[in-house]
Amino acid sequence: MLSKATPAPIRTAALFAAGVVLLTACGGGSTTSAGKGGGAEADGFPLTLKNCGRAVTVKAPPQRAVSVDQGSTEILLSLGLADRLAGTATWSDPVMKGLEKANEGVERISENRPSSEKVLDKEPDFLSASFASTLAKGGVAPREQFEKLGVPTYISPADCIGKDNSGGGDGARTAPLTMDSVYTEVRELSQVFGVPERGDALVKKLQARVAKATDGIDGSKASLLYWFSDSKAPYLAGCCGAPGVITRELGAKNVFDDTHDEWPQISWETVADRNPDVLVIGDLSRTMQTAESAEKKIEFLESNPVTKTMDAVKNRRYVLLSGQAMNPTIRTVQGLERVAAGLRDFGLAG
């Protein structure tokens, strides 16, 4: 749900008077090139990246960046860049453990998607997002709208590589997501901010955690279902997004691996028919839809006549994840760790 726009200052309104071009479909990977600037310019700048099918040039390391999706924000905070964030927005969960202090000093301009006016009021010199829909018509604003004002924009490669966002909704995967897309985002953002060594260090830590979580596990006996939100028309994970990364790493099976939609809405009758062994449940703090929290989801599952007879419900085989752990973010690693631990606890790890 988008936040309602507040009246824009005359300065901001004038900036947008020229109009915008609609966002083209996000596609392709990300590559970088850089040249050394003279005078007061930092080494390696201006920096040009190929991001989601377009060239993005950053003239100098950002000092007043705005991140309009939580996943992107948590990467920047993990890179030690809180002092260079002028604002953040669109939160589904409490900030990742260990980042609380860094997050305290960053203004949250909106819990949901902010208006473009609120973003521009922060006078940003760089804008980052996790999803193409955030920086598109119907989101905060199309990328072109900011770029015409001299504000470079960046979208997570995980929402572009092997993904078709042209059909509306949450898009569909044309190829399975891998953690490499998340690692690319970490490295590229660290390059944009002039701290590439921090990006390399963070990626190495994430890779080590993945290796540890999957060591010796064989989840081939387990079938999983991932429920993100809503009880009336539930959003459940298709084959190939972040839950697909978790499932493949553990050798398990997603009961809806026959759909390539990122988060299709599927009836509970169909869910009960497929009868997964384990329910991976999103524990969200937002209040946009029905049954956002894990508590509300479990209450529904155990009282609904269709779902309460499922094996996973009768045996209370639940794994609780933050919403961000079910999206392609650095928290996907946390999701992998928790699902692996759940399979071990349930005797389904091999």
Side-chain angles (χ1 to χ4, degrees):
M1 183 181 297
L2 301 181
S3 60
K4 294 182 179 179
T6 54
I10 294 175
R11 170 183 58 81
T12 304
L15 288 172
F16 284 104
V20 299
V21 179
L22 293 181
L23 180 69
T24 56
C26 179
S30 300
T31 58
T32 64
S33 62
K36 292 189 176 182
E41 293 181 352
D43 286 349
F45 289 85
L47 172 72
T48 298
L49 303 90
K50 184 180 179 183
N51 174 243
C52 290
R54 65 198 303 139
V56 177
T57 298
V58 182
K59 295 180 179 179
Q63 302 299 315
R64 293 191 54 80
V66 173
S67 175
V68 286
D69 280 315
Q70 183 175 351
S72 177
T73 299
E74 291 185 339
I75 290 176
L76 297 175
L77 293 176
S78 297
L79 292 171
L81 297 168
D83 60 336
R84 301 218 235 144
L85 279 170
T88 71
T90 321
W91 289 71
S92 61
D93 306 296
V95 70
M96 189 167 69
K97 186 176 180 181
L99 298 178
E100 296 90 347
K101 186 173 182 180
N103 185 57
E104 285 176 2
V106 181
E107 181 181 352
R108 188 172 299 189
I109 59 178
S110 176
E111 292 294 330
N112 299 316
R113 287 179 177 172
S115 66
S116 56
E117 291 86 356
K118 281 189 175 182
V119 172
L120 285 173
D121 279 346
K122 304 313 298 179
E123 299 182 351
D125 55 7
F126 182 76
L127 197 61
S128 66
S130 299
F131 305 107
S133 59
T134 303
L135 296 181
K137 186 178 180 181
V140 177
R143 295 180 77 174
E144 291 89 346
Q145 193 160 334
F146 293 104
E147 290 166 356
K148 283 186 175 182
L149 303 175
V151 182
T153 64
Y154 179 90
I155 294 172
S156 169
D159 203 49
C160 304
I161 298 174
K163 187 162 183 251
D164 180 4
N165 292 306
S166 64
D170 294 300
R173 293 282 170 183
T174 57
L177 176 74
T178 70
M179 282 302 297
D180 286 343
S181 294
V182 176
Y183 300 151
T184 293
E185 180 178 8
V186 171
R187 288 192 172 105
E188 289 187 339
L189 286 174
S190 69
Q191 290 169 359
V192 165
F193 284 81
V195 289
E197 70 288 345
R198 299 185 196 178
D200 290 339
L202 179 54
V203 167
K204 287 179 181 178
K205 288 180 181 178
L206 294 171
Q207 290 172 329
R209 288 172 59 189
V210 169
K212 183 178 180 180
T214 57
D215 184 35
I217 198 167
D218 176 9
S220 59
K221 296 179 181 179
S223 60
L224 312 176
L225 176 139
Y226 297 81
W227 179 15
F228 191 84
S229 65
D230 202 7
S231 58
K232 295 179 180 178
Y235 289 90
L236 310 174
C239 69
C240 301
V245 172
I246 296 170
T247 305
R248 288 192 306 275
E249 288 283 355
L250 298 175
K253 175 181 175 60
N254 177 352
V255 293
F256 289 111
D257 63 4
D258 55 347
T259 176
H260 286 256
D261 289 346
E262 189 87 336
W263 290 103
Q265 291 180 279
I266 300 171
S267 72
W268 286 117
E269 288 77 12
T270 303
V271 172
D273 183 61
R274 302 210 178 178
N275 197 25
D277 296 315
V278 177
L279 299 179
V280 184
I281 295 173
D283 190 13
L284 284 61
S285 61
R286 68 180 194 183
T287 56
M288 291 175 62
Q289 297 169 331
T290 59
E292 298 278 44
S293 69
E295 180 181 6
K296 290 293 184 183
K297 287 183 173 74
I298 293 171
E299 181 181 317
F300 171 86
L301 290 167
E302 296 181 350
S303 62
N304 183 275
V306 175
T307 58
K308 68 181 183 180
T309 60
M310 294 165 54
D311 289 343
V313 176
K314 288 190 293 185
N315 293 285
R316 306 197 95 237
R317 290 195 291 260
Y318 308 133
V319 176
L320 310 188
L321 298 186
S322 67
Q324 291 304 310
M326 300 171 87
N327 282 327
T329 69
I330 56 175
R331 280 218 228 180
T332 302
V333 175
Q334 182 187 80
L336 173 61
E337 292 168 334
R338 292 191 176 179
V339 176
L343 293 186
R344 290 188 173 99
D345 290 343
F346 302 142
L348 296 171

